[in-house]
Amino acid sequence: MNKQYYVNGEWKSSEKLSELKSPHTNEIIAHIPQATREEVELAIEVADATRKEMVELTAYKRASILEHIAQLFADNRQKAAEIMALEAAKPLKFALAEIDRTIETYKFAAEEAKRLTGEMIPMDAAKNGANRFGYTIEQPIGVIGAITPFNFPQNLVAHKVGPAIASGNTIVLKPASQTPLSALFLAELIDQTELPKGAFNVITGSGKTVGDALVESDKVKMITFTGSPAVGIGIRNKAGLKKVALELGSNAGLIIDKDVDISHIVPKCVTGAFSNQGQVCISLQRTYVMEEQYDAFIKQFATATKELVIGNPLEETTDVSAMIQPGEQDRAVEWVQEAVQHGAEIITGGTIENGVFMPTILTNVSASLKVSCQEVFAPIVVVNRISSVDEGIAAINDSNYGLQAGIFTNDIQTAFKASKQLEVGGVMINDIPTYRVDQMPYGGVKESGTGKEGLKYAIHEMTETKLVVWNQS
């Protein structure tokens, strides 16, 4: 099956195609166009030429288009999820859940399109402000270059496309090389709406060719990127004065205090650590358990982990399937072996069986080892013993990352202290750090990136505030 990319409301092909293989079966499922730099630049020119038409759309019209996208996803829920399961090996139950979130995200975007307002400025509060009337308006910045990852190929795209449309911008989307089919399916749906042709474009190809063209173009006014810190830092260094929003991952930590209900916590931790094969920016990677709870937690956590269903992502009973590439599974094994060589203990997992890296629990892990201090992006979780919550806070903060963290505690003072002292973008009280709903502000500190997602917050990133002052004297 040869696919085409989508520009100016038309389907186009490139001379060069690449094979797209299923992570689960390694079978070829499609041939994907590899756009040239000239083809990317044409897409940018098309998006730039459509700016005026997008700006002239009313808030009502933009909201209606976004509501239509949400409805089209609802009408095609199963198909969209199956595409995701096929190209990303995301178990179908999680793929369906992602489509449900995607629908909600576009609905939130539709609502925010109607709330895009400025504010009144009390000019006469200043000595020289008498007889002046001031206000601000929020205006779209222009062409948005969106570069998205494989792990949430519809919902993370929605977090870029939704606010861009809501705020009246145009978009050139570069999807992850492993998940282009989801982006192209989105293009099929958007093509059925009244969004102006050229306002949304999908270009497939290598990160270097497509990404560099977007980052270096003077016509692209903002890059919104989700991916690795190395690539994100490179984008920021090349971007010049254009806006850049970066979501660069994490090694999310959780503290489990004494006197909490372990049986209530364990199912959440299993979900947080192993859903989507641990390939989630806020996947639970580091767990710090008070010594009073440690033995009971390890026992129940291991038992629940061993009950996970491993297998075909297209089967609704599957909990864990293959990671995105065989090389990533091999890396996960190497990181586990390194940890064991330095004194860590494997409670369960650590090997590849029937083409799947098994869910892995490690204990007694040094903070300097890769499985602890780097983003593992695999179904691996570290569980270490602590003697105080302060020790847990210090351990979580001892990281180059800071996206989200969680703490389970029955002590309100402990919860308040953790909320203030944890060096992260979001603190989840009595929940795992993997918790996210799509309207909340989402973004990290340190090497976890800059800027915020969440529809209202992303829209603010994608607009410029213009001040208007009337002299009435």
Side-chain angles (χ1 to χ4, degrees):
M1 178 175 59
N2 291 350
K3 300 297 290 185
Q4 296 177 304
Y5 63 83
Y6 182 78
V7 171
N8 203 24
E10 299 177 350
W11 295 96
K12 300 177 180 291
S13 188
S14 297
E15 290 186 7
K16 184 180 179 182
L17 301 174
S18 69
E19 295 178 346
L20 178 66
K21 295 183 178 181
S22 160
H24 176 63
T25 65
N26 204 37
E27 295 175 346
I28 298 172
I29 55 179
H31 291 87
I32 305 300
Q34 299 296 291
T36 64
R37 188 179 183 99
E38 291 73 25
E39 289 169 324
V40 182
E41 290 172 350
L42 176 61
I44 295 169
E45 289 175 8
V46 165
D48 186 59
T50 315
R51 289 176 59 191
K52 183 178 179 182
E53 194 173 354
M54 275 297 291
V55 169
E56 291 176 349
L57 291 182
T58 64
Y60 175 84
K61 189 65 176 179
R62 296 195 304 271
S64 296
I65 290 166
L66 289 161
E67 288 165 357
H68 193 185
I69 295 171
Q71 185 59 53
L72 288 167
F73 267 111
D75 295 342
N76 294 273
R77 178 176 180 264
Q78 188 72 25
K79 182 177 180 180
E82 288 175 354
I83 290 171
M84 193 184 307
L86 180 66
E87 68 178 351
K90 174 170 283 193
L92 190 57
K93 67 171 72 174
F94 298 117
L96 287 165
E98 179 175 342
I99 298 304
D100 291 341
R101 283 184 60 189
T102 300
I103 293 167
E104 197 169 53
T105 299
Y106 282 113
K107 286 182 177 179
F108 280 131
E111 294 166 5
E112 292 299 337
K114 299 178 181 179
R115 300 179 185 140
L116 185 54
T117 61
E119 62 178 345
M120 303 299 298
I121 309 299
M123 302 301 296
D124 61 356
K127 183 178 180 180
N128 296 325
N131 298 316
R132 283 172 171 80
F133 173 68
Y135 58 90
T136 64
I137 54 177
E138 299 296 321
Q139 295 188 306
I141 60 175
V143 181
I144 306 290
I147 304 174
T148 56
F150 71 85
N151 56 333
F152 287 87
Q154 286 296 3
N155 197 42
L156 288 185
V157 169
H159 272 283
K160 301 178 189 305
V161 173
I165 294 173
S167 52
N169 292 290
T170 61
I171 313 113
V172 179
L173 169 64
K174 191 274 179 214
S177 295
Q178 184 58 42
T179 53
L181 300 182
S182 290
L184 296 174
F185 185 66
L186 171 62
E188 290 181 31
L189 300 186
I190 287 181
D191 195 55
Q192 300 173 49
T193 73
E194 294 184 7
L195 185 73
K197 304 305 181 187
F200 173 74
N201 309 275
V202 179
I203 292 287
T204 57
S206 74
K208 182 166 181 58
T209 298
V210 181
D212 284 359
L214 289 172
V215 173
E216 294 167 8
S217 173
D218 291 336
K219 293 180 179 178
V220 175
K221 301 305 179 183
M222 177 180 177
I223 296 292
T224 173
F225 169 81
T226 301
S228 72
V231 175
I233 292 168
I235 286 172
R236 191 173 184 87
N237 290 339
K238 293 178 184 177
L241 294 178
K242 61 170 56 73
K243 284 189 172 185
V244 177
L246 304 172
E247 200 276 277
L248 305 180
S250 188
N251 55 352
L254 172 70
I255 298 168
I256 299 177
D257 198 2
K258 58 187 177 182
D259 300 327
V260 295
D261 182 359
I262 294 296
S263 63
H264 173 69
I265 293 170
V266 165
K268 290 178 178 287
C269 291
V270 171
T271 298
F274 303 126
S275 62
N276 198 23
Q277 289 77 263
Q279 298 166 135
V280 181
C281 294
I282 44 177
S283 178
L284 174 56
Q285 183 173 331
R286 300 180 294 155
T287 309
Y288 301 99
V289 186
M290 288 286 284
E291 51 193 2
E292 295 91 337
Q293 299 273 38
Y294 183 83
D295 291 337
F297 177 80
I298 283 287
K299 182 178 179 180
Q300 292 184 39
F301 191 32
T303 298
T305 298
K306 292 174 183 177
E307 292 173 352
L308 292 171
V309 177
I310 315 297
N312 186 342
L314 291 169
E315 295 179 0
E316 292 198 34
T317 56
T318 297
D319 296 307
V320 177
S321 189
M323 291 172 62
I324 196 68
Q325 293 177 346
E328 286 299 293
Q329 299 199 143
D330 294 338
R331 174 189 59 82
V333 171
E334 291 173 4
W335 285 22
V336 169
Q337 291 175 344
E338 178 198 56
V340 171
Q341 290 168 4
H342 289 80
E345 178 186 355
I346 299 175
I347 300 300
T348 187
T351 59
I352 297 172
E353 297 181 18
N354 298 318
V356 176
F357 179 80
M358 301 299 287
T360 301
I361 302 171
L362 297 173
T363 63
N364 192 35
V365 179
S366 168
S368 63
L369 295 173
K370 290 177 183 176
V371 292
S372 182
C373 70
Q374 297 186 30
E375 183 177 36
V376 70
F377 227 61
I380 299 172
V381 61
V382 170
V383 183
N384 280 350
R385 188 190 307 262
I386 55 172
S387 58
S388 68
V389 169
D390 286 340
E391 183 183 350
I393 292 172
I396 290 176
N397 290 344
D398 183 21
S399 172
N400 292 331
Y401 298 108
L403 187 47
Q404 291 193 168
I407 179 171
F408 284 97
T409 181
N410 290 327
D411 188 309
I412 191 170
Q413 295 300 328
T414 297
F416 272 118
K417 177 166 64 173
S419 69
K420 292 181 179 180
Q421 295 184 1
L422 285 166
E423 298 168 358
V424 293
V427 178
M428 305 298 118
I429 306 297
N430 288 328
D431 215 333
I432 53 177
T434 322
Y435 177 78
R436 181 184 182 185
V437 289
D438 294 290
Q439 80 276 25
M440 76 186 205
Y442 178 78
V445 299
K446 299 189 274 190
E447 289 186 16
S448 286
T450 60
K452 295 290 184 185
E453 289 187 345
L455 285 307
K456 179 176 77 172
Y457 308 93
I459 286 171
H460 181 72
E461 303 269 356
M462 294 179 179
T463 56
E464 296 284 5
T465 300
K466 178 182 284 186
L467 171 67
V468 180
V469 177
W470 294 65
N471 186 349
Q472 303 173 81
S473 59

